[in-house]
Amino acid sequence: MNASKRISKPGTRGVTVRTAGLSLRLDVRGAVVGLLLIAVALVMSVVLIGTGDFPIAPADVVRTLFGDGTVAQDFIVNELRLPRVLVGLLVGAALGLGGAIFQSISRNPLGSPDVIGLGQGAAAGALTAIVLIKGDPSVVATGAVLGGVLTGIAVYALAWRQGVHGYRLVLVGIGTSATFTAVNGYLLTQAHQEDAARAVMWLTGSLNGRDWDQVWPLLSVCAVLLPVVLGHAPGLRMLEMGDDSAYALGVPVERTRMVMMGAAVLLTASATAAAGPVAFVALVAPQLARRLTRSPGPNLLPAAWMGATLLVTADWASQRAFGADQLPVGVLTGMLGGAYLLWLLVSERKAGRI
């Protein structure tokens, strides 16, 4: 049997690689963009690990990560700073991936977890654990996950009418977000001073103080859900053409939509539980990834790499750009993301879509 590899002529979107019994379409530009984003994320991670009150040169950071640092460098790098950076990478990747799924399902660049209320729902669960239960960090994280999951179920149920479509999902999500914003405000007014301060710190979204206790649960969630998401990615791409076209191509529409929305909700809720509601990464990362790859479809992996890159870069900037006054990373992403949201709304209005 002839098992030789044959590569077709490159097209505008990529090349087709064929072997015996296998045909694989490779998006060359998307692969290159993904590799570049991974490289930037790794470089920024090394720089971020070396940033702080005890600065460490990038070369020393790399040597320490490979076990050749001094005792002091090993403690600072591996015990204090590496977990924070890993949480940042995982949170950014989870938010970017979750945002890409929601924007693809809604076929709307505004259909991100920030806009449709998942962040506020997770925050309501966390505030309930802080204010009413007075739970420890693990209880708060569990409350955030439960709040995000229940919010996702509610949004899906309220938006479903012979399927979940575009602006209906966004509008239901905006209403849900407004409701939970009011609930969260009420919970803050009922909190004692110490609990209120703790709640406000959590609501800003921050990587400060993150350690291995946040790394392992989030890594486990990502490791389980990533294969599920990638396995359903072809069906998700067909859904962007509309339910009727997807049905005609043999895609189990409702099952694919439910599985992907469930995965996106869990990714977003787990990321929020680990770092608080880090604003707008889920909105911005998929759109930037799509503009870089210039490829149709959800661009799931590029969105994940973009989210990771954005968050570690924003964390580095929040530590360096404001002198001695370090900002929580959620404040910086909120400012930049808010400006991006205004630009996106103006662009959508000029295009006649809103």
Side-chain angles (χ1 to χ4, degrees):
M1 180 175 61
N2 183 13
S4 62
K5 183 188 296 183
R6 293 179 296 157
I7 303 178
S8 70
K9 294 176 65 175
T12 57
R13 295 295 180 186
V15 297
T16 302
V17 180
R18 292 190 179 91
T19 60
L22 176 65
S23 178
L24 176 64
R25 184 71 173 173
L26 176 63
D27 184 348
V28 176
R29 184 184 178 92
V32 171
V33 168
L35 291 174
L36 289 175
L37 288 173
I38 292 173
V40 173
L42 292 176
V43 169
M44 289 306 304
S45 296
V46 170
V47 173
L48 183 57
I49 290 173
T51 300
D53 294 334
F54 186 85
I56 303 175
D60 293 332
V61 171
V62 174
R63 280 197 294 269
T64 303
L65 290 173
F66 282 97
D68 292 332
T70 66
V71 174
Q73 288 173 340
D74 181 69
F75 175 75
I76 293 172
V77 170
N78 293 315
E79 297 300 325
L80 297 182
R81 297 180 183 173
L82 179 59
R84 172 190 178 125
V85 172
L86 290 177
V87 170
L89 290 170
L90 290 169
V91 168
L95 291 176
L97 186 57
I101 293 171
F102 272 108
Q103 290 178 13
S104 180
I105 288 174
S106 65
R107 301 193 289 275
N108 191 322
L110 295 176
S112 82
D114 301 293
V115 177
I116 64 177
L118 293 185
Q120 291 297 328
L127 288 181
T128 299
I130 293 173
V131 175
L132 301 183
I133 302 176
K134 303 185 185 302
D136 58 24
S138 64
V139 175
V140 174
T142 302
V145 172
L146 289 176
V149 170
L150 293 175
T151 302
I153 293 172
V155 169
Y156 184 88
L158 292 171
W160 194 92
R161 192 174 74 182
Q162 297 179 341
V164 176
H165 303 285
Y167 283 104
R168 189 189 309 152
L169 178 67
V170 174
L171 291 174
V172 169
I174 290 173
T176 304
S177 179
T179 301
F180 278 117
T181 298
V183 170
N184 294 341
Y186 172 77
L187 288 172
L188 285 174
T189 64
Q190 300 303 304
H192 296 296
Q193 184 174 356
E194 187 175 310
D195 293 333
R198 182 184 171 198
V200 169
M201 284 295 296
W202 189 89
L203 286 172
T204 57
S206 175
L207 298 177
N208 293 334
R210 297 307 184 262
D211 56 26
W212 294 105
D213 290 338
Q214 285 80 42
V215 172
W216 299 120
L218 184 54
L219 180 61
S220 300
V221 170
C222 292
V224 170
L225 292 180
L226 184 59
V228 175
V229 169
L230 295 181
H232 287 79
L236 182 64
R237 184 165 184 170
M238 296 299 103
L239 282 177
E240 290 192 346
M241 298 188 299
D243 287 5
D244 292 339
S245 298
Y247 274 122
L249 293 169
V251 176
V253 171
E254 286 306 318
R255 187 180 72 185
T256 299
R257 185 181 286 124
M258 288 184 66
V259 169
M260 294 298 273
M261 282 192 67
V265 167
L266 287 173
L267 286 167
T268 304
S270 299
T272 305
V278 180
F280 290 115
V281 173
L283 174 70
V284 174
Q287 292 300 308
L288 293 181
R290 179 171 291 196
R291 282 165 171 75
L292 287 177
T293 62
R294 297 180 186 173
S295 176
N299 287 281
L300 297 177
L301 288 179
W305 310 147
M306 177 61 77
T309 303
L310 285 176
L311 195 53
V312 293
T313 303
D315 193 34
W316 174 82
S318 68
Q319 295 184 52
R320 297 298 298 271
F322 299 94
D325 299 323
Q326 294 186 10
L327 289 179
V329 67
V331 175
L332 183 59
T333 61
M335 290 190 296
L336 298 177
Y340 174 83
L341 178 59
L342 291 174
W343 174 84
L344 183 61
L345 289 170
V346 171
S347 299
E348 290 289 294
R349 183 174 182 273
K350 288 182 177 179
R353 288 188 286 267
I354 58 174

